[in-house]
Amino acid sequence: MELAVVVVVGSDKPGIVAGISTELARNNVNIVDISQTVLRGVFSMIMIVDISNSSLKIGELRESLKNKGKELKVDVLLYHIDVFRYMERV
Amino acid sequence: MFSPDEITEVIKMLNEEDLDIRSVTLSINTMDSIDSREENVISKLLSKIEKIRRFSDAVDEVKEKYGISIVTKRVSVSPIQFMLEPMPQADFSVRLAKTLEDMAEKGRIDYIGGFSAFADRGTSRSSEVYLSSLSSAMNSTTRVAGVLSAGSTFSGINLDSVRKFVSQIFQMEPHASSRTAVMVNLPPDSPFVPSSTHGLGMPDAQINVAVSGPGVIESAIRKSSVNDIRELHNLIKRYSFKVTRLGELVGREVSNLLGVPFGAVDLSLAPSPKTMDSVARVIESMGVEKVGGFGSLTALAILLDAVKKGGAMATSSVGGLSGAFIPVSEDSGMTEAALSGSLTFETLIMMSAVCNTGIDMVGVSKESDKSEVTSLILDELSLGLSLNKSLGVRLVPIDGKPGSIVDLGGLLGKVVIMPLKGIKSQISNMNGFIPNFLKRLEFG
């Protein structure tokens, strides 16, 4: 399993979770964990996804999620899990 | 696995607080290029371009994988002095500089370091040629960087070589002098230009990494509202660990991709001219109203100790010039302080007691008395010997008066001419070298 973290932030409206998860599914990326909150109208979602069978390279996947985010008017970031593993764990 | 807080913290550091990798450097042994025929030297050097390209591609691949900004790609070569040894001629020295420029351009990298020479105790024929051609070499290139090693705790300081270096930088354009420095106790594995040089005792190739994270530290301090020095120290330590770990991750990945050993991470806070990435602002966030005011050294000393302690745990091999960098032009807070007069040459020398760069990226008027400039450099280098640490000077002589600015653009920023004292100093006109200090005896 090769994991990555997807972070989505923006103003809340229907269809954000559906839009992002459809984009992930379309590229054969599996969602492993998901947490989502709305605080004072600000939507924020953190997903842990498995990119080992992804049809796109991680850079291309980042780009496609970013574009999807533009459509949905939210910011989408994608980082490899190693970044968190290195910075947050000894 | 990771709490939302942890994830948010990393995301903020990377996206809002300007945490990036300053440079990934491929350090390569080019000693096999030494030859008594000019053409052979050039073609052997140029044959390394393929290797450099592969390195450049590997860095791009890592950048894509992790989505982290890697600001510059650099290469270091063996000190060019060695290529000059069989043919100590000035025009060949300039040709070598242009060849390095060619390697950088065709290899798709930003800087190539190693246009360097050692003249710690005396000036050999190759360093003599180096010192007589340095200005022509630098003026005719844009990506070549080099350092004159003019002394060490082992050797003392070669005063003649410092004097020659000064007369060379006075003949340089600002963009050229910003790529060269004079140093003592030069580290063999620095990922920063102009100090980077493929050192003796190193493998044929290695990857060195430099991180940059003043923005992260500043923001952590400002958010925390701590009022206890030990808590503050602890806070900096924690963030500096994270910053350095990112360097370790990127370095290891590039080294794996290339099959080249991983060298060292420079445990540094290196500023960039963007306002979010300034060591001066970190000092100010610790309570000094403007950098240069009393208390600046205390703040810097605490910061550095914490950076080193936090960073030391984050990487298995520390190298380069680990510490906080205080290049005046590359740090918006320092530039501002230099313009307002709160930051002076004396402040910078004082700060050198705890940081490892020295007087870095400061403008001096081309009308200045050269012996005063040489004496300024000697003060800094003597401090390096007395404290047994790496220190250097990178001055940019500019046509103009104190207070004038030259914008070099990009990471180099705005160079401010700072005032000298105008006091004659004949000590730099003496012959010979400054003997190695008592510190030397501690080595046996």
Side-chain angles (χ1 to χ4, degrees), chain B residues 214-251:
Chain B
V216 172
I217 308 283
E218 184 198 345
S219 149
I221 296 173
R222 290 205 192 272
K223 268 187 298 197
S224 71
S225 69
V226 292
N227 199 26
D228 179 293
I229 292 279
R230 275 186 303 181
E231 267 179 50
L232 179 71
H233 184 270
N234 220 11
L235 182 84
I236 300 171
K237 216 166 65 181
R238 280 204 349 257
Y239 279 90
S240 140
F241 169 82
K242 294 179 188 199
V243 168
T244 311
R245 284 287 280 179
L246 188 66
E248 175 92 359
L249 169 67
V250 167

Side-chain angles (χ1 to χ4, degrees), chain B residues 14-275:
Chain B
L14 293 168
N15 287 281
E16 293 167 25
E17 293 159 2
D18 234 9
L19 176 58
D20 53 33
I21 300 294
R22 173 54 48 87
S23 68
V24 182
T25 305
L26 170 69
S27 185
I28 38 175
N29 175 7
T30 49
M31 298 280 252
D32 60 339
S33 308
I34 300 175
D35 199 291
S36 53
R37 289 180 53 198
E38 216 173 298
E39 293 312 316
N40 290 356
V41 181
I42 305 293
S43 68
K44 278 186 191 164
L45 280 173
L46 291 176
S47 72
K48 317 274 185 215
I49 291 175
E50 211 30 59
K51 194 180 269 179
I52 298 175
R53 273 195 194 139
R54 276 207 302 277
F55 160 72
S56 174
D57 292 343
V59 174
D60 287 343
E61 205 177 320
V62 172
K63 213 159 129 177
E64 189 187 335
K65 178 171 177 189
Y66 293 124
I68 294 164
S69 150
I70 297 173
V71 187
T72 54
K73 292 183 266 195
R74 300 168 181 180
V75 162
S76 301
V77 296
S78 305
I80 215 70
Q81 163 182 26
F82 298 127
M83 318 289 140
L84 286 170
E85 207 60 59
M87 275 171 297
Q89 285 138 22
D91 51 347
F92 181 48
S93 167
V94 175
R95 195 172 170 204
L96 283 171
K98 289 181 177 162
T99 307
L100 293 185
E101 178 93 353
D102 211 21
M103 288 162 74
E105 242 171 65
K106 293 191 174 132
R108 300 188 290 266
I109 55 152
D110 303 288
Y111 283 109
I112 188 159
F115 197 82
S116 309
F118 289 75
D120 293 12
R121 188 173 293 187
T123 317
S124 71
R125 57 185 177 183
S126 58
S127 29
E128 184 73 46
V129 170
Y130 173 86
L131 278 170
S132 63
S133 60
L134 188 57
S135 61
S136 322
M138 287 297 160
N139 281 337
S140 53
T141 53
T142 58
R143 301 184 196 206
V144 176
V147 63
L148 170 71
S149 168
S152 65
T153 303
F154 268 99
S155 301
I157 300 172
N158 179 354
L159 220 151
D160 288 330
S161 72
V162 177
R163 209 166 28 235
K164 281 177 184 147
F165 178 83
V166 170
S167 88
Q168 286 292 311
I169 58 169
F170 269 77
Q171 295 167 44
M172 288 184 202
E173 301 292 326
H175 75 84
S177 47
S178 72
R179 285 179 279 117
T180 185
V182 53
M183 282 189 72
V184 292
N185 293 327
L186 184 70
D189 56 2
S190 164
F192 281 105
V193 286
S195 65
S196 80
T197 282
H198 186 80
L200 293 177
M202 292 291 154
D204 280 325
Q206 68 174 13
I207 300 294
N208 297 325
V209 171
V211 289
S212 157
V216 172
I217 308 283
E218 184 198 345
S219 149
I221 296 173
R222 290 205 192 272
K223 268 187 298 197
S224 71
S225 69
V226 292
N227 199 26
D228 179 293
I229 292 279
R230 275 186 303 181
E231 267 179 50
L232 179 71
H233 184 270
N234 220 11
L235 182 84
I236 300 171
K237 216 166 65 181
R238 280 204 349 257
Y239 279 90
S240 140
F241 169 82
K242 294 179 188 199
V243 168
T244 311
R245 284 287 280 179
L246 188 66
E248 175 92 359
L249 169 67
V250 167
R252 287 198 175 281
E253 191 69 19
V254 174
S255 113
N256 280 343
L257 276 176
L258 279 179
V260 160
F262 179 43
V265 179
D266 194 303
L267 296 185
S268 289
L269 291 182
S272 67
K274 284 180 279 187
T275 40

Side-chain angles (χ1 to χ4, degrees), chain A residues 4 18 27 57 67 89:
Chain A
N27 296 305
K57 280 175 74 183
N67 291 336
R89 296 284 184 269

Side-chain angles (χ1 to χ4, degrees), chain A residues 2-3 5 7 46 57-60 62 77 79-90, chain B residues 1-2 4 6-7 9-11 13-15 19 64-67 242 245-246 248-249 252 313:
Chain A
E2 188 176 11
L3 298 178
V5 176
V7 176
I46 297 171
K57 280 175 74 183
I58 184 166
E60 297 162 346
R62 184 177 295 122
L77 300 163
Y79 283 106
H80 197 280
I81 199 89
D82 283 354
V83 176
F84 303 87
R85 204 172 272 152
Y86 261 74
M87 288 174 71
E88 294 293 331
R89 296 284 184 269
V90 183
Chain B
M1 191 185 302
F2 294 102
E6 288 174 317
I7 290 177
E9 180 186 73
V10 172
I11 299 279
M13 285 161 88
L14 293 168
N15 287 281
L19 176 58
E64 189 187 335
K65 178 171 177 189
Y66 293 124
K242 294 179 188 199
R245 284 287 280 179
L246 188 66
E248 175 92 359
L249 169 67
R252 287 198 175 281
M313 195 172 160

